Amino acid sequence: MSAVMKHRLFWPLVVLLALILLNTVSRPSFVRITVHDGRLYGSLIDILRNSAPLMLVALGMTLVIATRGIDLSVGAIMAVSGAVALTIIQDSGDPANPAVLAVAIGTAVGAGLVCGLWNGFLISVLGIQPIIATLVLMLAGRGIALLITGGFITTINSDPYKFMAQGYVLGLPFAFYVSLVAIAIVALIERRTALGMLTEAVGINPEASRLAGVRARGIIWGAYAASGLLAGFAGILYSSNIMAADANAAGLYIELDAILAVVLGGTSLAGGTFSIAGTVVGAFTIQTLKSTITFLGVPPAVTPVFMAAVVVVVVLVQSRRFRRFMGRLPARLRTWTSRTPDGAEAAS
Amino acid sequence: MENALPLVQVTGATVRFQSDTALDDVDFRMFAGEVHSLMGENGAGKSTLIKALTGALPLDAGVITLDGRTVQFATPHDAQLAGISTVYQEIDLLPNLTVAENIALGREPRGRLGSIDWPAMRRLAREALADLGLDIDPASVLATHPLAVQQLVAIARAISTDVKVLVLDEPTSSLDFDEVAELFRVIRELKSRGVAILFVSHFLDQVYEICDRITVLRNGRLVGEYLTTELLRIDLVQKMLGRSAAALAARPRLDGYEDPDPSVTLSARGVTVLPGIADADLDLVEGEVLGVAGLLGSGRSELARALTGVDRLEAGIIRIDGQATRLSSPRRALSVGVVYSSENRRTEGLIGELSVLENITLALQAQRGILRRIRSARQRELAASWVEALDIRPPDIDRPVGTLSGGNQQKVLLARLLALSPRVIVLDEPTRGIDVGAKVEIQNLVGELADTGLSVVFISAELEEVLRVGTRVAILQNGRVVDVLPSDGLTTDSLLALVARPEEDES
């Protein structure tokens, strides 16, 4: 049992299951899954579907955080990617043509990759602190997106495009498959090659890694490029969901959700050892938390407060130090009360 | 002063880490106004006892009394409030703050409204430094001072509180002769004020010079407490190691063996990286250990870094097997078989949170590239064979390397470099801060490596060690190699005279 409890995924999973349990108790229909036309419906399925953009962004964020960095620009990159894709589709005049869609998606994801390469250049070559370097695109990116859409919210009508976020394959949402494929590719690249270990080495001790002959610059640059690329895909999914490119709303605050998902998954912001599986659980936890808020009927005005309170509890439950502190609390209270004001020690 | 009652009394101290007992029922005492030394090999429990005494680690059993009162420290801060201050081996100051801020950190003098009283803080710092006889501007940034001065600032910080017990953990490992003398003057001053000083050092000379009493630990148990004047050195070493001193003798060198045609593997001409080294020449022969001796600031580490591609050359040329080679990065140097082990094991050597396995395979994997990952089974086999070959303890390749003792960490670093099958290995202070037993092991290992044809550059501040390990000794002064001599004709004293002789005028 203690071996199970010591597993790094134990507490993240406990938190996720507790959230699902909370919802189920307050409203049993939460876990109900129904079948219509061979498709599954229900709150849990919604979570699988809606978590896809966050999942992609959080995967990229995991790699960046492992190098001891941070990427604040992911939300803005989503906006750029959505704007590029929808502008190309709208301008083509043939929104259902697969070739047009392929070009649009390819260009949009390419734009995300370019944004990531820019971040990586600032950080790994010019040596700018990650939080400052990515702040540039975080602010400028939405401006670029507005420039691309000409200041409007571009909307399109394209069934194949809509399919990506809203379609179903074999009874499950297509977006969920996108998540799965992304998780599999990232996990394979990190753990089947030496990239994962070298990334951890660079994140923990960049100078020692350099002296050991690790190409620290390339690894850091690559992490930001991957983050930009994944944010590009997330931007496609987001715009496909609302069938519009909204430069101001696309991916707003998703960088914070993604950072939180990574931390909930047990990866330290101080860099170093990371867990892809942890991030996956973390992203599902955040999405479940958002559904919980809707499901429990929390008034929109107090949503941020509710979210913040839950996050504090969740983070505390996962903190080993806090758990140890709580475990020792009774003993501490006893010694504290036994210290009388005149300094006499009570017999122990 | 009443000396009958100890100031600090530790009884039955026991600390366990899971199944390992790091400290087993140890008694320890210190009197006011004495300098006490704690001796033992790595893993003997010295650090554990210090940590328990200074509140960094809780005791599983046992009692600590201070001034006759039972005390329990939950944090180092509690211990400090009670009058127990510590200066650790790895300087734990903040390099980006000023000297004054470092000295006053955590107990800054407050003005009205709780704001920091800067003039008072600088005054406090200046007084603390004056106590040590140091002339350092309290407003200067700490990082602008050399390591030795930073160490003295750390001590100034420790004694500027109302200190009863001062713990100095390897305080002299980065100080030169004059600075050690300066430190000893301060220690004697504090001693005369009735402070109990715990002086932990692996320099036996210094222990015998400054300490009144010695407590010896071995394998987490107390061996005994002795007056320094009544304990012969040879007995001390025996008690620390639990084996006879004869077993400690260094591996005999192959006398009279002279390669008929010594081939030069690495030759450096006019190597310059200012301000550390200027116009240094060096030839390294196959299968030799070249000792490098020089005072602090003579450019020892800078030379090592220049030879191994860590710092870029501003001028000069390096030839490997007669071929001019530009070592533009450590990666490039590694690829031609020139490897470097830094004097700063933790910051520039090991990846603390990664396992022994990952640390050993890191450089080899980096050479192979990201895509050609070494198979897991092969990685384990490789790491296990190095752990066995170098006798790394505990022999657990999945353990985070940061939890190993200093000597074993050094061996892991060596394993990483040796796994690359290098031709030239540059070791900068490989035995710093590690105990006598591991030190001899590493010295012997260096000799064995040279016997297999490897060229070794061995840098150490301890002249005796340079002589013992090196077949030849290069003498550094002001960033230049002024002499290269065979070590057979040298004694520690004659080498010291060469190293410390005043600079000759160009003639």
Side-chain angles (χ1 to χ4, degrees), chain A residues 263-344:
Chain A
V263 173
L264 289 182
T267 300
S268 161
L269 279 180
T273 41
F274 63 92
S275 163
I276 301 281
T279 297
V280 172
V281 175
F284 282 136
T285 303
I286 303 249
Q287 198 59 47
T288 309
L289 187 53
K290 294 197 162 173
S291 314
T292 310
I293 290 167
T294 333
F295 214 73
L296 295 181
V298 177
V302 298
T303 300
V305 179
F306 180 84
M307 179 106 178
V310 176
V311 164
V312 168
V313 171
V314 164
V315 170
L316 282 179
V317 166
Q318 291 202 23
S319 153
R320 196 187 308 157
R321 210 162 143 190
F322 178 76
R323 289 201 305 269
R324 207 185 308 148
F325 174 78
M326 290 308 282
R328 281 197 201 145
L329 198 59
R332 278 199 186 196
L333 284 176
R334 247 177 282 131
T335 49
W336 187 71
T337 47
S338 69
R339 266 186 214 154
T340 48
D342 49 304

Side-chain angles (χ1 to χ4, degrees), chain A residues 191-195 197-198 200-201 204-205 207-215 219 271 273 332 343 345, chain B residues 305 310 330-331 334 340 342 346-354 358 361-363 365-366 369-371 373 416:
Chain A
R191 297 302 180 197
R192 286 291 144 192
T193 71
L195 185 60
M197 194 263 277
L198 296 178
E200 290 176 345
I204 295 168
N205 193 336
E207 183 59 11
S209 303
R210 185 178 84 94
L211 294 191
V214 180
R215 282 202 180 101
I219 284 172
T273 41
R332 278 199 186 196
E345 303 255 344
Chain B
R305 294 169 70 91
V310 178
R331 185 180 173 78
L334 292 171
Y340 167 62
S342 165
R346 280 191 216 170
T347 53
E348 295 179 354
L350 297 161
I351 315 285
E353 289 134 62
L354 292 189
E358 287 164 315
T361 55
L362 179 66
Q365 183 64 67
I370 289 167
L371 293 180
R373 179 170 175 270
R416 175 198 291 168

Side-chain angles (χ1 to χ4, degrees), chain A residues 112-131:
Chain A
L113 179 62
V114 169
C115 291
L117 287 171
W118 165 253
N119 285 333
F121 171 75
L122 292 183
I123 292 155
S124 67
V125 180
L126 300 188
I128 299 173
Q129 287 189 3
I131 200 163

Side-chain angles (χ1 to χ4, degrees), chain B residues 26-40:
Chain B
V26 168
D27 296 341
F28 174 72
R29 57 184 190 156
M30 284 172 77
F31 293 94
E34 77 161 353
V35 183
H36 196 116
S37 180
L38 196 54
M39 302 293 290

Side-chain angles (χ1 to χ4, degrees), chain B residues 212-444:
Chain B
D212 304 307
R213 206 183 289 266
I214 297 174
T215 295
V216 181
L217 298 181
R218 191 171 70 233
N219 295 332
R221 293 207 181 82
L222 177 71
V223 177
E225 187 205 84
Y226 313 90
L227 286 172
T228 312
T229 47
E230 292 171 4
L231 184 65
L232 291 176
R233 269 179 208 223
I234 191 76
D235 293 336
L236 171 61
V237 174
Q238 265 174 343
K239 287 181 197 310
M240 282 163 61
L241 300 179
R243 57 188 136 139
S244 75
L248 287 173
R251 180 190 68 100
R253 251 198 319 269
L254 300 170
D255 276 329
Y257 175 79
E258 209 44 72
D259 198 305
D261 179 23
S263 57
V264 174
T265 26
L266 183 146
S267 102
R269 287 289 173 274
V271 167
T272 302
V273 180
L274 295 173
I277 53 166
D279 200 17
D281 299 341
L282 200 70
D283 282 317
L284 199 56
V285 177
E286 194 175 287
E288 80 163 342
V289 180
L290 180 69
V292 175
L295 296 179
L296 198 73
S298 62
R300 295 185 312 231
S301 298
E302 289 83 351
L303 178 65
R305 294 169 70 91
L307 291 179
T308 53
V310 178
D311 294 335
R312 280 191 201 185
L313 300 189
E314 287 164 22
I317 188 163
I318 291 174
R319 286 193 186 83
I320 292 164
D321 294 330
Q323 289 260 280
T325 311
R326 221 170 71 82
L327 304 176
S328 50
S329 69
R331 185 180 173 78
R332 175 90 186 93
L334 292 171
S335 71
V336 295
V338 177
V339 306
Y340 167 62
S341 152
S342 165
E343 62 177 328
N344 303 311
R345 269 196 297 278
R346 280 191 216 170
T347 53
E348 295 179 354
L350 297 161
I351 315 285
E353 289 134 62
L354 292 189
S355 65
V356 171
L357 168 89
E358 287 164 315
N359 270 283
I360 289 179
T361 55
L362 179 66
L364 192 61
Q365 183 64 67
Q367 281 298 300
R368 289 169 60 103
I370 289 167
L371 293 180
R372 294 174 56 220
R373 179 170 175 270
I374 309 167
R375 279 182 301 108
S376 298
R378 175 76 192 117
Q379 283 186 23
R380 300 193 74 82
E381 198 179 273
L382 189 79
S385 70
W386 281 110
V387 164
E388 203 196 319
L390 303 189
D391 192 21
I392 294 168
R393 275 166 293 175
D396 175 4
I397 55 175
D398 295 314
R399 201 180 169 100
V401 78
T403 63
L404 267 55
S405 68
N408 286 302
Q409 290 189 355
Q410 185 65 47
K411 289 185 192 169
V412 170
L413 195 50
L414 277 175
R416 175 198 291 168
L417 299 175
L418 294 175
L420 295 169
S421 328
R423 306 206 44 211
V424 175
I425 184 163
V426 179
L427 303 173
D428 193 359
E429 298 280 5
T431 61
R432 176 193 280 181
I434 68 180
D435 66 85
V436 183
K439 204 165 177 164
V440 174
E441 276 184 72
I442 288 187
Q443 290 169 352
N444 289 349

Side-chain angles (χ1 to χ4, degrees), chain B residues 148-201:
Chain B
V149 173
Q150 295 188 21
Q151 174 95 49
L152 292 169
V153 171
I155 293 170
R157 168 177 163 74
I159 63 172
S160 64
T161 52
D162 191 15
V163 65
K164 286 181 193 153
V165 179
L166 177 63
V167 180
L168 300 173
D169 190 1
E170 295 285 357
T172 55
S173 56
S174 51
L175 303 191
D176 67 21
F177 303 105
D178 293 341
E179 287 159 339
V180 169
E182 186 69 14
L183 173 67
F184 282 6
R185 185 186 63 72
V186 174
I187 289 179
R188 291 197 179 96
E189 164 72 22
L190 289 170
K191 177 180 158 178
S192 71
R193 290 187 211 164
V195 177
I197 294 147
L198 183 58
F199 180 87
V200 180
S201 171

